[in-house]
Amino acid sequence: MAEEEKQSVRETAAPWEPNVVGFLCNWCSYAGADLAGTSRIPYACNVRVIRVPCSSRVDPLMILRAFREGADGVLVSGCHPGDCHYIEGNYYARRKLIALKQLLDHVGLDPRRFRVSWVSASEGRKWAKVVETVTRDLLEAGPFHYEENGDDQGRAPGRG
Amino acid sequence: MATIKEELRAAVKKLFDEDRIDYFVGYVEDYGHTFPAILAKGSDLSRLTFDRKSYNNLADFLPELRGSRVGLVCKQCEVRTLNVLAAEGQIERDKLVVVGVPCPAMVDPRKLPADEAGLDDLDESYWQEKCRRCLERNTPFADVFVGERASTPTPAEGWPLLQEVEAMSAEERLAWWREQMSLCIRCYACRLACPLCYCHQCFVEDNKPQWLDKSVRPENNLHYHIIRAIHLAGRCIECQECSRVCPVGIPVDVLNNVLARDFAERFGYLAGETAEAKPALTHYERDDKEDFIL
Ligand code: SF4
Ligand code: SF4
């Protein structure tokens, strides 16, 4: 096992662990994550995987819903452009995810909370690296609450 | 010389008399106001008008009238909407009679002097924001054109409020949007006024699964607005009806403008510019610029 991989895994659990919801396409990223497992590559266990047929199945609604349900971060992962099992699904997904990314950045959501990656079925190592990056960034960013300073009704400060 | 009102009334009367249309969608004046109306055959046409307060986007009524032969006053806002609706198969162009008008640029009623003095000559400072960005003042594909052709405008660059918000830091933007979202009462007037929100079943009413919490809390309101902006991505034609109708004054269209601006830069795409352009989200290029993907 490469030295850098060993070091990238935290020895002890942090006091708070980020909850990441990962939408993985069946054909590439899910298989890539599987390969990371069967190759016994150690990496952070913070991503809760939801398997979808294709990255274009991921509706922005699902991503926002994941945040509403308490996710600290969301990761969408699919095949590399050009490698989609359905030929062009990830090209459509890319435009949709670009749009969502623009909006989330605009309303001031920390860019570390919403990530997209292309991981193929043979990229177990890349998958491990993506998860490490996402988890490390979220450990820095901290837990996600939209209404950090709101009152118990969820209203913004200073409103009746 | 006949005024544009008289010309319009005569043209519409002719359309009804020749039995070319079942309904006419236009503006009527009453009680000192101008408002949109759907006129059926035999209606009183004497209140039909087109003036500087005809700011509503009349294309909003078209998906409902689908199947009937409809005549429509069509300024540039409607032109771009019709292009999008046509590309999405929502209107039958052969059943539509487009009445073209020269648009004098609409005024913003919130900026009007109380007595509405000199309505016809009010300068840019009284205009609706959208009119500063207008591409063309005459209807390009009119079946009937009334009035004299207007000169081609010079569209203003950029969206002032969007630029203001984007000049803020991420934390300030978060606070600004929180503030706006805490005002929203989720009356869905923005959705109703939008000519491109024509879904019979909207995600906000879905119960199984329930995508959106029904409680009116800022985070739920933001959830609604972000998804609505996504549904309008590459479709919004910047008529600003959503912001105009909002009872609490939230500039809803800023979110749509974020995407309109980005899609123009990224994909060279402007919604409703032509009837042929494929909607941005049902189309792709192999080398679309992706700058954040791991
Ligand atoms: S019109 Fe205004 S208050 Fe009503 S749902 Fe839209 S943004 Fe909220
Ligand atoms: S918000 Fe979306 S689902 Fe609802 S009416 Fe508009 S386009 Fe349709």
Side-chain angles (χ1 to χ4, degrees):
Chain A
M1 189 193 304
E3 195 54 33
E4 66 173 79
E5 277 164 16
K6 245 191 238 160
Q7 283 171 353
S8 70
V9 180
R10 278 166 286 123
E11 303 269 296
T12 48
W16 166 80
E17 287 289 334
N19 234 327
V20 187
V21 173
F23 294 97
L24 274 58
C25 84
N26 182 38
W27 304 99
C28 292
S29 295
Y30 193 88
D34 227 9
L35 181 64
T38 46
S39 320
R40 303 203 172 272
I41 303 171
Y43 64 96
C45 54
N46 300 62
V47 177
R48 309 285 182 274
V49 174
I50 297 176
R51 177 155 63 157
V52 288
C54 175
S55 49
S56 62
R57 171 66 185 92
V58 183
D59 190 311
L61 270 174
M62 299 174 174
I63 295 166
L64 294 196
R65 191 70 210 176
F67 281 119
R68 265 311 267 135
E69 298 290 340
D72 301 302
V74 174
L75 169 66
V76 178
S77 193
C79 309
H80 286 269
D83 288 348
C84 178
H85 184 77
Y86 307 100
I87 318 297
E88 50 182 16
N90 54 0
Y91 287 122
Y92 291 118
R94 181 164 63 183
R95 284 205 166 187
K96 210 160 37 175
L97 295 171
I98 285 172
L100 182 65
K101 180 73 176 170
Q102 294 299 323
L103 289 172
L104 293 181
D105 283 358
H106 174 82
V107 299
L109 184 88
D110 191 324
R112 293 173 289 193
R113 298 201 186 277
F114 171 53
R115 308 299 280 266
V116 180
S117 63
W118 306 134
V119 173
S120 81
S122 62
E123 292 178 322
R125 276 172 204 286
K126 179 169 178 190
W127 170 251
K129 219 170 128 218
V130 165
V131 175
E132 280 295 321
T133 310
V134 171
T135 309
R136 198 176 337 104
D137 285 357
L138 285 173
L139 273 169
E140 269 170 38
F144 176 63
H145 304 294
Y146 178 70
E147 276 299 291
E148 237 147 349
N149 309 310
D151 63 17
D152 56 3
Q153 297 296 305
R155 294 189 196 101
R159 296 235 156 248
Chain B
M1 205 198 83
T3 63
I4 184 160
K5 288 182 201 176
E6 288 159 5
E7 273 190 58
L8 178 66
R9 287 169 197 164
V12 175
K13 183 166 185 305
K14 194 154 164 257
L15 290 176
F16 275 126
D17 288 348
E18 289 173 359
D19 195 31
R20 286 175 66 190
I21 54 172
D22 304 315
Y23 297 99
F24 188 79
V25 186
Y27 304 91
V28 295
E29 52 186 358
D30 216 339
Y31 312 109
H33 291 288
T34 301
F35 46 87
I38 302 174
L39 303 174
K41 208 173 187 137
S43 301
D44 172 17
L45 301 181
S46 68
R47 290 183 301 154
L48 258 183
T49 187
F50 182 72
D51 59 19
R52 299 199 71 184
K53 291 185 286 177
S54 308
Y55 33 68
N56 311 64
N57 188 335
L58 296 180
D60 194 23
F61 300 105
L62 292 183
E64 279 174 58
L65 292 173
R66 200 170 170 195
S68 311
R69 296 169 306 159
V70 180
L72 168 87
V73 174
C74 202
K75 54 188 189 306
Q76 180 67 11
C77 308
E78 282 87 6
V79 167
R80 285 180 68 187
T81 318
L82 289 189
N83 282 339
V84 176
L85 288 173
E88 294 173 359
Q90 292 299 320
I91 50 172
E92 293 151 290
R93 184 63 183 86
D94 52 340
K95 289 196 174 167
L96 216 58
V97 178
V98 171
V99 176
V101 283
C103 184
M106 296 301 155
V107 293
D108 187 334
R110 287 165 299 192
K111 300 177 189 163
L112 271 186
D115 56 353
E116 301 196 359
L119 188 64
D120 291 337
D121 314 304
L122 292 175
D123 66 14
E124 277 201 37
S125 56
Y126 295 95
W127 287 9
Q128 295 265 344
E129 185 58 50
K130 63 177 175 181
C131 296
R132 293 159 175 264
R133 293 184 44 80
C134 190
L135 306 170
E136 164 70 59
R137 290 278 161 70
N138 301 298
T139 317
F141 45 66
D143 300 307
V144 185
F145 196 90
V146 298
E148 277 172 54
R149 297 208 166 248
S151 54
T152 307
T154 326
E157 286 286 321
W159 296 261
L161 186 54
L162 175 63
Q163 283 161 352
E164 222 175 276
V165 180
E166 285 192 330
M168 302 178 190
S169 69
E171 288 77 35
E172 287 168 339
R173 283 201 305 275
L174 187 66
W176 190 80
W177 276 110
R178 256 191 207 139
E179 173 87 11
Q180 299 294 333
M181 289 300 122
S182 71
L183 294 170
C184 176
I185 52 173
R186 287 250 291 286
C187 61
Y188 300 131
C190 42
R191 179 186 64 169
L192 192 65
C194 178
L196 294 167
C197 264
Y198 50 70
C199 303
H200 289 286
Q201 190 176 359
C202 174
F203 76 97
V204 306
E205 273 103 26
D206 275 352
N207 282 323
K208 279 183 174 180
Q210 190 190 60
W211 294 111
L212 183 69
D213 287 3
K214 304 293 187 229
S215 58
V216 179
R217 295 169 61 117
E219 65 270 38
N220 298 336
N221 301 347
L222 185 69
H223 191 152
Y224 158 64
H225 283 287
I226 288 182
I227 296 297
R228 183 165 173 273
I230 292 267
H231 289 184
L232 290 166
R235 305 173 63 232
C236 171
I237 50 87
E238 306 167 44
C239 65
Q240 293 187 319
E241 283 290 272
C242 46
S243 302
R244 191 182 62 76
V245 298
C246 179
V248 294
I250 299 172
V252 184
D253 67 303
V254 170
L255 286 175
N256 300 320
N257 296 344
V258 169
L259 294 185
R261 203 262 333 270
D262 187 62
F263 280 22
E265 284 170 9
R266 200 182 284 268
F267 310 134
Y269 182 85
L270 183 64
E273 200 178 16
T274 64
E276 290 75 39
K278 294 204 188 74
L281 288 191
T282 63
H283 178 67
Y284 64 85
E285 298 291 341
R286 283 173 191 280
D287 52 359
D288 278 341
K289 192 168 136 237
E290 44 165 75
D291 33 23
F292 69 101
I293 299 179
L294 291 172

